[in-house]
Amino acid sequence: MIPTFPFRFLINRRQGTPGVVVLPEGGFRRAKEEIASWPGYAPTPLRDLPDAAEAARVASVRYKDEGGRFGLGSFKALGGAYAVMRLLQAELARRGVANAATAEELMDGRHKAATRAITICCATDGNHGRSVAWGAQRFGAACVIFVHETVSQGRRDAIAKWGAEIRVVPGTYDDAVREAQKQAEANGWFVVSDTSYPGYTEVPRDVMQGYRLMAEEAADQIGQAPTHVFVPGGVGGVAAAVSVQMRARFGAATKVIVAEPDKAACLLASAEAGAPTTVPGELDTLMAGLACGEPSLLAWQELERGAFAFLSVPDESAVACMKALAARTPPVVAGESAVAGLAALLLAAREPFARTALGLDESSRVLIFGTEGATDPDVYEKLVGHAPAASSV
């Protein structure tokens, strides 16, 4: 299905050890009930990829296609907007405006005089900022989004569409995270980040609880429990959310494998070191949504014991997967970051040592989280060679 490319992998020696509860079940139930009630909510499709199953010599490959999520193009629509709502509810209560404002009240503008005085901000590679901006507009707050220099103009424009002010920060995503925090402290703004660090965990926890709904949908759709789950890395938030939900639904037998770009493999590096580890450098991967050098504290607390393995793959493998999915009938439109897991499966499955270490065989049932569609159509066309087709439902 794709050519052979070099990759790295590491079996997690700490997998299965006891640890802290990162995402309590009560928080997920609240997130699920809330998000499922929003206008426009619908589960995204789970697609069969028999050609990938044949190439990987496994029983089945199912692909959770997040390209249509709330019209925002990625799973991150579930997390950022939900965290914005939760933050506004808490702040309105703190200010004595409304003790228990509902999402409907916020969307109707019932408290707009108060919410307009609240500014939400965050750093982003593109998709999280779009979700936060959408949530801020939907629930009535002002919004400032910080992007680093290599975020494409198309992704900046897609965020600005929802009324956010865009500020460009020199350096990497991690530099933008620090600048967002600095400006929030200076201006009395509120950070809604998808990464967590000491002293800042509750908002990212809400973000991750929103992400779990994607994994819950997949578990409902797939029927028989998957033996292997491949999920993109980044700071680790979505991988941790998927890990928690797979364990809740299917137990410890399902192996969760985290896939990262080889130019930004901070989770693999952390697993090697046995502690959260920062990857230096420019992080100049094509997989823009995964160009992160520092793991999220909460995510690492889950992944250090919940992930079975970590793999890093080159950009060329992601482009090959995008092209292969686009050539199918019907086509699957997948962005650069969406295919990290598919690339990891296809590369590892053909290498004898990795195949054996991961426990892949002809009976394996593989679930892959395709976390975004063509979130920048111009970049997609440049990489694939043609404009993104309309995906089937």
Side-chain angles (χ1 to χ4, degrees):
M1 189 173 181
I2 67 170
T4 298
F5 297 99
F7 67 95
R8 295 180 62 222
F9 83 100
L10 179 72
I11 302 299
N12 182 15
R13 62 183 180 272
R14 290 181 55 82
Q15 196 261 343
T17 59
V20 299
V21 176
V22 173
L23 299 178
E25 286 301 307
F28 171 60
R29 288 193 295 270
R30 288 192 298 271
K32 177 181 178 181
E33 180 179 4
E34 178 58 51
I35 297 169
S37 73
W38 291 355
Y41 170 76
T44 52
L46 187 67
R47 305 191 187 281
D48 285 310
L49 298 183
D51 44 353
E54 181 179 1
R57 293 180 290 126
V58 296
S60 63
V61 175
R62 310 290 296 279
Y63 179 90
K64 182 65 167 166
D65 185 353
E66 287 293 297
R69 182 69 73 180
F70 280 118
L72 296 185
S74 87
F75 78 97
K76 292 205 170 181
L78 295 168
Y82 175 67
V84 168
M85 183 206 73
R86 292 268 295 169
L87 188 150
L88 291 175
Q89 289 171 329
E91 188 61 16
L92 290 180
R94 189 188 71 81
R95 297 182 183 192
V97 175
N99 286 331
T102 65
E104 183 179 8
E105 290 172 354
L106 293 172
M107 286 188 279
D108 288 348
R110 202 169 306 179
H111 307 295
K112 62 183 179 181
T115 57
R116 283 176 178 170
I118 298 171
T119 298
I120 304 294
C121 72
C122 75
T124 188
D125 287 310
N127 292 338
H128 176 67
R130 193 180 308 194
S131 177
V132 169
W134 177 66
Q137 185 181 82
R138 172 171 273 206
F139 299 120
C143 186
V144 179
I145 303 294
F146 295 82
V147 300
H148 54 287
E149 295 166 301
T150 59
V151 172
S152 70
Q153 189 60 49
R155 291 190 170 94
R156 297 181 197 183
D157 293 343
I159 297 168
K161 169 186 173 182
W162 301 105
E165 176 189 343
I166 309 298
R167 297 192 183 183
V168 182
V169 178
T172 67
Y173 166 78
D174 303 301
D175 294 315
V177 169
R178 286 185 279 270
E179 183 64 16
Q181 182 65 44
K182 175 182 174 182
Q183 293 301 320
E185 292 172 357
N187 294 287
W189 299 344
F190 296 87
V191 177
V192 174
S193 177
D194 59 350
T195 192
S196 58
Y197 37 88
Y200 181 76
T201 58
E202 290 313 302
V203 171
R205 201 186 310 273
D206 285 336
V207 172
M208 293 165 67
Q209 294 286 26
Y211 293 167
R212 285 179 68 180
L213 183 53
M214 173 186 68
E216 174 80 348
E217 291 175 2
D220 289 340
Q221 294 164 323
I222 202 168
Q224 194 173 7
T227 59
H228 297 76
V229 175
F230 286 78
V231 61
V235 298
V238 66
V242 166
S243 176
V244 169
Q245 200 59 21
M246 291 297 103
R247 187 168 61 250
R249 290 295 300 267
F250 302 123
T254 296
K255 297 180 174 77
V256 174
I257 296 105
V258 181
E260 300 176 276
D262 58 7
K263 296 178 180 178
C266 64
L267 299 171
L268 192 155
S270 298
E272 287 179 321
T277 299
T278 299
V279 175
E282 296 181 359
L283 312 174
D284 57 340
T285 172
L286 288 175
M287 292 175 258
L290 307 179
C292 309
E294 299 179 23
S296 165
L297 174 64
L298 285 177
W300 182 246
Q301 289 173 344
E302 165 61 27
L303 293 174
E304 71 171 337
R305 66 189 180 92
F308 181 78
F310 300 86
L311 280 91
S312 66
V313 299
D315 285 352
E316 294 85 354
S317 67
V319 176
C321 286
M322 292 170 68
K323 290 179 177 178
L325 291 175
R328 297 180 75 254
T329 303
V332 175
V333 176
E336 311 91 280
S337 299
V339 294
L342 179 59
L345 166 67
L346 294 174
L347 296 179
R350 70 176 55 164
E351 201 284 314
F353 181 72
R355 183 178 179 88
T356 300
L358 294 175
L360 289 166
D361 58 32
E362 288 75 8
S363 67
S364 298
R365 300 177 300 276
V366 179
L367 170 61
I368 294 174
F369 284 92
T371 49
E372 66 173 6
T375 52
D376 187 327
D378 291 338
V379 171
Y380 181 93
E381 183 171 358
K382 179 180 178 181
L383 295 176
V384 175
H386 58 77
S391 292
S392 60
V393 176

